[in-house]
Amino acid sequence: MNVGPNACYLDQQREVPMALELRKLSHALGAEVCNVDVSKVSEALFGEIYHAFLQHGILLFRDQNITREQHIEFSRHFGELDRHDALPRDRHPEHPEILLVTNEPKLDGSPSDSRYTGRQWHSDMSFTPVPSLGSLLRGITMPEVGGDTVFANMTLAYETLSDGMKALIADLHGIHLSGTRKIANDDSGVTRATEQKRLNPPIAQPVVRVHPETGRKALYLGDKVKRFDRLTEEESKPLIKYLNEHATRFEFIYRHHWRANDIIAWDNRCTMHLALGDFDETQRRHMERTTVLGTPSGYVV
Ligand code: OGA
Ligand code: MN
């Protein structure tokens, strides 16, 4: 089908009760769902949405001016939601299913705990024994410019490796550490990092994961991995660097410039993402996320 980059098109490949209008976001991954109000989604329509989710890795829904309850309700279609026991500081006090990603100071005026969330390539909850299936992030208050999020297609990253490299990494496990790269350089940052480490001991995850629904293999790595299990950091570093750089080449990514009331649902099993700090930090950036529980993976080292 020949559609322009900005045109929505009907997914007429399949005979379905209701066709989604989709617009591709980049060559590598992602689609915008143009004609859906996420607060009014039937089971039949959700079937179509989930099909598109598996196919495109990330889905964008624009202009979704919804309540927290509606955000949670829509997310529950994807599966059971995480109550964020691994990240207790960042969850909403009244809605444990909502994780705050915000630079809005706390009520006492101290800086937000989650202002540097996502500032390294990662897949959500990879540092736990039950990594997430997917996440749904809603942009609420966005800075005037910047504060973009970049997504990478890890299936494509895996499939474009040579046969030799695929064989080399087939049985490797990467050790995923909790915590962010950029932490606040004060007591709050140090306390948070210590607490996160205590709650989340290092977990070894397969470097190649088989997607439980599509059956396709994807790279599972990112910047939370400092070494492979049974190898030293020195031995691991060059290969981790190579694989992460390979996976995040321009041709494998989509960079999203947020508008207020955008929701992006991403598949954590075959994509990774990065929050860019390319904005004026005196401006507000407030986002809220739900996290869908995945299946157990990896082992404690
Ligand atoms: C997240 C995350 C990225 C961003 O919510 O999981 O990594 O750009 N956020 O805020
Ligand atoms: Mn994230």
Side-chain angles (χ1 to χ4, degrees):
M1 186 172 16
N2 187 15
V3 286
N6 293 311
C8 281
Y9 61 89
L10 289 175
D11 186 355
Q12 287 165 331
Q13 316 275 346
R14 310 171 63 233
E15 285 193 21
V16 292
M18 49 200 83
L20 287 184
E21 252 180 70
L22 299 174
R23 180 181 72 89
K24 283 200 81 165
L25 293 175
S26 77
H27 179 59
L29 78 167
E32 178 182 352
V33 181
C34 303
N35 59 341
V36 164
D37 172 347
V38 302
S39 68
K40 299 191 183 88
V41 169
S42 64
E43 281 305 318
L45 178 58
F46 186 74
E48 294 311 301
I49 292 174
Y50 200 71
H51 174 82
F53 175 76
L54 292 178
Q55 197 169 14
H56 297 281
I58 75 170
L59 291 182
L60 165 66
F61 303 85
R62 289 213 124 128
D63 304 315
Q64 306 292 327
N65 190 3
I66 55 170
T67 63
R68 292 198 172 99
E69 287 79 5
Q70 288 169 325
H71 183 174
I72 292 170
E73 201 181 312
F74 176 56
S75 305
R76 285 213 168 105
H77 285 284
F78 289 78
E80 192 186 337
L81 299 187
D82 196 332
R83 295 173 69 85
H84 301 116
D85 288 332
L87 301 165
R89 282 174 174 255
D90 300 344
R91 62 186 162 189
H92 190 281
E94 279 133 45
H95 301 279
E97 300 90 349
I98 299 263
L99 191 81
L100 302 173
V101 180
T102 187
N103 64 4
E104 260 164 39
K106 295 185 213 172
L107 287 177
D108 66 4
S110 61
S112 154
D113 281 312
S114 62
R115 66 195 185 282
Y116 298 130
T117 291
R119 297 280 183 94
Q120 55 181 180
W121 281 106
H122 68 286
S123 170
D124 292 331
M125 316 311 283
S126 69
F127 53 89
T128 74
V130 188
S132 160
L133 177 155
S135 304
L136 291 96
L137 185 63
R138 185 160 84 98
I140 296 172
T141 308
M142 304 315 298
E144 186 191 348
V145 70
D148 296 358
T149 310
V150 194
F151 297 87
N153 181 337
M154 299 302 272
T155 311
L156 207 52
Y158 175 76
E159 288 173 355
T160 49
L161 293 171
S162 65
D163 291 344
M165 181 59 89
K166 285 179 186 158
L168 187 66
I169 64 174
D171 297 320
L172 286 180
H173 284 74
I175 299 179
H176 291 241
L177 306 175
S178 67
T180 46
R181 176 175 60 100
K182 183 169 178 182
I183 62 160
N185 196 12
D186 56 22
D187 287 353
S188 77
V190 174
T191 313
R192 177 194 160 86
T194 313
E195 188 179 291
Q196 279 217 20
K197 286 212 169 77
R198 183 174 51 77
L199 281 173
N200 303 292
I203 303 275
Q205 297 286 1
V207 169
V208 182
R209 273 182 92 191
V210 179
H211 194 292
E213 293 179 274
T214 65
R216 290 173 80 182
K217 287 182 179 170
L219 268 186
Y220 196 62
L221 221 55
D223 294 324
K224 288 183 189 293
V225 180
K226 303 291 176 239
R227 69 177 179 91
F228 298 116
D229 192 20
R230 304 177 56 241
L231 272 73
T232 66
E233 194 165 319
E234 230 182 345
E235 289 167 337
S236 309
K237 252 187 173 165
L239 186 51
I240 294 175
K241 182 168 183 287
Y242 171 75
L243 292 169
N244 280 332
E245 284 178 1
H246 166 76
T248 56
R249 284 155 49 168
F250 286 112
E251 48 274 53
F252 299 155
I253 63 163
Y254 165 63
R255 175 172 175 161
H256 186 63
H257 178 58
W258 292 89
R259 283 199 228 145
N261 290 323
D262 281 353
I263 295 183
I264 292 194
W266 62 80
D267 190 332
N268 279 308
R269 302 163 298 184
C270 56
T271 68
M272 61 176 185
H273 57 280
L274 165 72
L276 298 182
D278 64 337
F279 66 102
D280 176 353
E281 289 193 19
T282 65
Q283 294 184 5
R284 286 286 146 271
R285 183 180 192 268
H286 180 91
M287 314 185 84
E288 300 188 1
R289 184 185 105 193
T290 54
T291 316
V292 185
L293 289 175
T295 43
S297 172
Y299 53 88
V300 179
V301 285

